[in-house]
Amino acid sequence: MALVRLRTPLALLGAAVLVLVGPPLLTTGSGTETGTQIPGLRFMVPNTPGGGYDITARTAAKNAEDAALTHNIEVFNLPGAGGTVGLSRLVSEHGNGKLAMSMGLGVVGAVRSNDAPKTLGDTTPIARLTEEQDVVVVAKDSPYKTIDDLIGAWKENPGKLPVGGGSSPGGPDHLAPMLMARAAGIPPKQVNYIPFDGGGELLASILGNKVAFGVSGVGEYLDQIKAGELRLLAVTGPKRVDGLDGPTLQEAGYDVNFTNWRGIVAPPGLTDGERDKLVRLVEELHGSDEWRKSMQQNGWDDAFLTGDKFGAFLDAEDKRVVSVLKELGL
């Protein structure tokens, strides 16, 4: 069952609120020519610095500025409750065409697990941007050298091997280990899952051996894996990740095929013109050399989908999260 979370050293340096206001590089393109200039555009990140939404937002903002599509995008963090605090703020900004929010499957799950009063159905869908695999990682000094080592110990005593994830129950970093557990013959209800508000928060607990292993997006931990700080045991998707030495769960004999996605939504009540301008900005970003290079560097797959089609996808994802949680007895 395919279900479904970036990464640069800069993204891990953020404080609670970070602003990206660097001047655009000189290019041959012009946001004025393409109608993508949105003065005063703000990009909300609904979790802590260093997580997948954060890296996606900052990368998109920098790429858009470097491609001269728009200027001086402010990126800020408003974490809490798996992204639903930010979602509530977004929905309250009715008619604000200068605000957008980075989000993904984690917010879909958090809405359900937190019984949030506001849902993604209350937003204006702009675009799905990327898809990526989750990674199963441990600290470099962990006793678990392979995925079989880890799952063997996990099966012996599931409750004593806490697994950390950067999303609330129902989000990708929760669903992936639950599907792993089921594939390994471990009742999902016995899994000791510890949620963190994004991959940035989770990282310290993995490195400090506060959790036995962690599950997060490949882009979030790519640098740490390549630097040898984290040991990659497996990836959750259908194929190995280029440049990384780690099998898929299916290769290792566990029937799991799981990927995450990320996108952008805006407040409700936008005019057609305001919505179309945000969509056009993202379309131009998607076609830029800057964005293509960033996708390759972060291990993201292209999953571009805009407007009403993205809205229909969000509705389907909500139904799928509910179905999988029920199927897993959670």
Side-chain angles (χ1 to χ4, degrees), residues 4 46-47 53 79-88 101 103-120 166-175 193 195-198 261 317-318 321-322 325:
V4 173
N47 64 5
Y53 302 148
T84 57
V85 170
L87 175 62
S88 180
M101 186 178 85
M103 48 72 71
L105 179 59
V107 176
V108 178
V111 165
R112 286 293 175 180
S113 62
N114 293 316
D115 196 22
K118 303 299 182 183
T119 74
L120 289 164
S167 61
S168 296
D173 298 351
H174 170 251
L175 293 175
Y193 177 76
F196 293 83
D197 203 353
W261 56 268
E317 284 295 272
D318 179 58
V321 166
V322 172
L325 289 174

Side-chain angles (χ1 to χ4, degrees), residues 26 57 98 158 205 209 223 251 272 293:
L26 293 176
K98 298 180 183 293
S205 289
N209 292 304
D223 289 349
E251 278 182 75
D272 289 348
K293 184 180 294 184

Side-chain angles (χ1 to χ4, degrees), residues 235-293:
V235 298
T236 64
K239 61 182 180 180
R240 291 189 177 217
V241 175
D242 290 343
L244 296 183
D245 184 19
T248 67
L249 287 168
Q250 289 183 324
E251 278 182 75
Y254 306 99
D255 188 17
V256 176
N257 179 2
F258 179 92
T259 53
N260 183 24
W261 56 268
R262 293 196 184 86
I264 299 171
V265 293
L270 303 192
T271 65
D272 289 348
E274 288 170 328
R275 181 197 62 193
D276 292 347
K277 196 161 198 176
L278 282 167
V279 170
R280 189 159 56 245
L281 171 61
V282 178
E283 286 175 339
E284 292 291 330
L285 171 68
H286 175 254
S288 70
D289 291 339
E290 289 85 353
W291 180 250
R292 282 193 290 269
K293 184 180 294 184

Side-chain angles (χ1 to χ4, degrees), residues 6-46:
L6 281 180
R7 147 122 308 326
T8 61
L10 176 63
L12 296 176
L13 298 176
V17 176
L18 294 176
V19 180
L20 192 152
V21 292
L25 300 179
L26 293 176
T27 73
T28 57
S30 169
T32 302
E33 294 171 1
T34 58
T36 59
Q37 291 287 344
I38 306 177
L41 178 62
R42 307 179 76 217
F43 207 168
M44 183 196 304
V45 176

